[in-house]
Amino acid sequence: MAETEAALRTLAHNVRAARTRAGLSLDELGRRAKVSKGALVALEKAQGNPNFATLVRLADTLGISVSALMEGPAEGRVRVVSADSVMPLWAGEKGGEARLMLTTSGPAPVEVWRWRLEPGEEYPSHPHQPGVAETVSVTAGRMVLVVDGTEHPVEAGQTATFDGDAPHTYRGAGTGTCHLIMTVHIPPGPGSAS
């Protein structure tokens, strides 16, 4: 329980700081991110339980990564993260999950995710901000990547990349569990040197 409370406090601090840096009121951030003002007030008070979609919408609206909303200060030059030390941010109805392992620092951060999809299980994602690119590398099993309504089979040993500003869905395919590594390449935010 203490870890959850600490994570909520970090999230609250990071959302408030990013909103302040962006010069947005609670009303304006809520309108742009399609999140109620009440939910934002609770979030900034370290209360409630925001879902994954809410965190993605807030991060996209603020021009930062999801993990930038969740991470505390950096702890050194090298960071090693174990999958079992990171809580899933998405849990599928058939047992699949997505874990945000880490985000690189710098003006154009990259998020690194571990996904597990069971056959027929899917995660539909809303379009991200312009300039976001995603890659999926299937390490075991098969998946179907749906981008803008077109299906693309991706099998173990294959990697696909696409512009994340289109609607996209990850779907487990075949008869076994699909394991994949997804990266989200975030364009430099406002004020970053190009």
Side-chain angles (χ1 to χ4, degrees), residues 21-68:
R21 276 193 310 274
L24 298 174
S25 67
L26 284 166
D27 287 324
E28 185 62 14
L29 176 58
R31 186 186 68 73
R32 291 184 186 184
K34 297 181 176 86
V35 176
S36 74
K37 182 178 178 182
L40 285 174
V41 168
L43 183 59
E44 289 194 4
K45 290 182 176 180
Q47 299 169 349
N49 185 17
N51 65 29
F52 177 52
T54 297
L55 294 177
V56 170
R57 285 195 308 271
L58 287 171
D60 279 351
T61 301
L62 293 166
I64 59 177
S65 67
V66 172
S67 63

Side-chain angles (χ1 to χ4, degrees), residues 19-163:
R19 180 177 61 77
T20 302
R21 276 193 310 274
L24 298 174
S25 67
L26 284 166
D27 287 324
E28 185 62 14
L29 176 58
R31 186 186 68 73
R32 291 184 186 184
K34 297 181 176 86
V35 176
S36 74
K37 182 178 178 182
L40 285 174
V41 168
L43 183 59
E44 289 194 4
K45 290 182 176 180
Q47 299 169 349
N49 185 17
N51 65 29
F52 177 52
T54 297
L55 294 177
V56 170
R57 285 195 308 271
L58 287 171
D60 279 351
T61 301
L62 293 166
I64 59 177
S65 67
V66 172
S67 63
L69 291 177
M70 302 175 62
E71 290 180 343
E75 297 176 9
R77 293 177 66 126
V78 175
R79 191 168 28 141
V80 177
V81 180
S82 174
D84 60 0
S85 70
V86 178
M87 295 296 296
L89 289 179
W90 172 79
E93 59 190 36
K94 297 181 180 181
E97 64 181 25
R99 295 173 189 253
L100 176 57
M101 299 304 297
L102 59 85
T103 300
T104 62
S105 58
V110 176
E111 296 177 348
V112 179
W113 292 79
R114 283 183 170 272
W115 283 77
R116 186 177 74 228
L117 294 167
E118 297 302 327
E121 188 171 51
E122 65 180 39
Y123 174 78
S125 178
H126 73 285
H128 300 295
Q129 65 185 354
V132 170
E134 292 192 22
T135 64
V136 289
S137 296
V138 176
T139 59
R142 295 176 35 208
M143 72 171 290
V144 173
L145 171 64
V146 183
V147 178
D148 223 3
T150 302
E151 295 188 357
H152 306 272
V154 186
E155 300 188 15
Q158 293 183 321
T159 299
T161 187
F162 61 97
D163 294 332

